[in-house]
Amino acid sequence: MSIPSSSSPSGGSVATVVSPSNIAFVKYWGARDLERAVPENASLSMTLRACVTRTTARVADLEQDEILWRGSTDEAELRPPPPAFVERARRHLDLLRARLGVDARFRIATENSFPAAAGIASSASGFSALALATTAALGLQPSIEEASELARLGGSGSATRSVAGGYIQWPQTGWDAASESGGAIEQVAPASHWDLRDVIAIVSSGAKGVSSLDGHRRARSSPFFARRLETLPERLAIVRRALAEQDFATLGREIEAEAIDLHMMAMTSRPPIYYWTAATLDVLAAVRELRADGVPAWSTMDAGANVHVICRPAGQEDVVARLGDVPGVDRCILDGVGDGPRRTAEHLA
Ligand code: PMV
């Protein structure tokens, strides 16, 4: 990937990157080294195209990085984000500077096309966009491997999978789970391989109560975690085979089981984490009904209450219609597999 920088009239450098989120089919849950995001297991996701973060980074003469955001795309003005957000972004930038051996400070402006911190992996698109925009503003052109390593500095492992499009595994096949390295990403297939859709049923737009960082910290406290790690290589192999063969029934069964497994880990960790709401369960039931009615659709969820319903293009309309009838579903976001991040000249600030 080449992300050359462009100079602003002030002589400083500015770059804007639009980076997508992703939905994990096999989930990253639990880290051996959280700050460097060295995972306990390999994960695999589909890069999305509609749920994106747009981030502008400007090299600026500042004591400290300045960060503004638009909390939602309906807001007219950029404003200061919540303190926890600023702290995490600054931490990421500090690690990035240390890793790159640079001292620049940045003026950052960022916005999401979807609700943040609600199980739509805003950290994935957010940190991917931040790493790609800042390196581009510095005039650097990281390879995909370098970009993915930079994106996960500070702990968002899912960000590492958002720097490329299609179906992405992290770490790549052959990664040694005993190693102290976070490993590289592997594109299992490009987006053009299989047009899968993701209808995201929004049942909660608020921030979730427990961050995925805390979830990773608690993962090992579940009595079922060791068993999960034992069974995951087989699950990953099944998902990869189903993707290669475009076997939707096998893929769907496996990803739905995987999502339940993740939430069982969360609910049985100490202290327990409950991401689901009553509406989450109603959506899961509606998806089972869809299948009983002959519409192939399967659910998955990240660390949040919202449900991603994976289907093929032919089933998308039926899925949207059925989910729209479920009380508690505020709206559906129509998404699908996408090609990954892109540079744009439409700067945010
Ligand atoms: O990248 P993080 O630290 O936000 O963790 C992601 C955790 C899950 O979304 C639940 C799973 C995943 O692989 O994306």
Side-chain angles (χ1 to χ4, degrees):
M1 177 180 39
S2 163
I3 42 172
S5 73
S6 64
S7 286
S8 70
S10 64
S13 287
V14 59
T16 298
V17 170
V18 177
S19 181
S21 184
N22 64 72
I23 177 65
F25 289 171
V26 178
K27 315 287 184 183
Y28 157 50
W29 199 244
R32 206 155 298 163
D33 176 340
L34 198 52
E35 188 146 285
R36 291 189 307 128
V38 180
E40 294 272 14
N41 67 278
S43 54
L44 190 150
S45 57
M46 174 170 94
T47 302
L48 299 176
R49 59 170 175 252
C51 289
V52 295
T53 299
R54 174 191 300 259
T55 298
T56 298
R58 217 173 266 275
V59 177
D61 189 12
L62 296 167
E63 293 273 298
Q64 208 181 21
D65 300 306
E66 222 176 69
I67 298 155
L68 291 177
W69 81 344
R70 215 188 308 274
S72 83
T73 38
D74 330 323
E75 287 177 26
E77 300 293 328
L78 288 160
R79 60 182 168 88
F85 181 100
V86 176
E87 200 183 305
R88 216 177 154 200
R90 286 202 177 128
R91 179 88 196 110
H92 177 80
L93 293 171
D94 284 343
L95 292 166
L96 197 106
R97 276 186 283 267
R99 178 77 182 76
L100 296 172
V102 298
D103 196 29
R105 294 287 180 275
F106 300 96
R107 196 162 268 136
I108 302 290
T110 188
E111 70 175 21
N112 282 340
S113 66
F114 58 93
I120 315 181
S122 56
S123 61
S125 55
F127 287 106
S128 162
L130 189 56
L132 291 171
T134 46
T135 45
L138 289 169
L140 301 172
Q141 298 181 19
S143 65
I144 282 205
E145 286 69 31
E146 289 163 339
S148 67
E149 190 199 324
L150 295 173
R152 67 174 179 264
L153 289 173
S156 175
S158 54
T160 217
R161 300 186 310 242
S162 263
V163 303
Y167 300 89
I168 304 291
Q169 183 180 314
W170 167 66
Q172 83 282 32
T173 306
W175 169 75
D176 177 0
S179 82
E180 286 310 303
S181 137
I185 60 170
E186 172 187 349
Q187 190 185 53
V188 172
S192 57
H193 168 69
W194 199 7
D195 183 5
L196 290 183
R197 303 292 166 88
D198 179 4
V199 179
I200 310 170
I202 304 294
V203 299
S204 155
S205 299
K208 59 198 179 206
V210 181
S211 70
S212 39
L213 279 183
D214 271 335
H216 296 304
R217 284 190 193 104
R218 290 184 212 175
R220 275 216 169 261
S221 69
S222 164
F224 306 109
F225 190 68
R227 181 210 57 97
R228 169 171 166 78
L229 293 185
E230 272 167 32
T231 54
L232 275 179
E234 193 189 339
R235 169 159 290 157
L236 187 63
I238 294 171
V239 167
R240 284 184 65 120
R241 201 164 49 239
L243 272 174
E245 294 170 3
Q246 301 185 355
D247 175 352
F248 191 60
T250 302
L251 180 80
R253 248 193 322 273
E254 210 57 37
I255 68 176
E256 201 166 285
E258 166 65 357
I260 304 303
D261 210 75
L262 169 86
H263 284 266
M264 287 299 113
M265 294 305 121
M267 288 188 233
T268 54
S269 63
R270 294 193 197 137
I273 312 169
Y274 297 96
Y275 288 118
W276 293 356
T277 65
T280 307
L281 287 167
D282 290 340
V283 175
L284 295 182
V287 174
R288 288 195 299 271
E289 281 164 24
L290 273 164
R291 283 203 298 275
D293 292 348
V295 180
W298 300 88
S299 319
T300 181
M301 288 146 287
D302 278 343
N306 299 320
V307 184
H308 294 248
V309 182
I310 308 299
C311 60
R312 286 175 297 187
Q316 184 174 291
E317 235 175 79
D318 289 333
V319 171
V320 174
R322 181 68 63 97
L323 297 186
D325 287 344
V326 177
V329 173
D330 294 339
R331 67 192 170 103
C332 287
I333 298 177
L334 271 54
D335 214 327
V337 66
D339 286 321
R342 63 183 169 85
R343 269 298 282 281
T344 168
E346 288 165 40
H347 303 310
L348 266 176

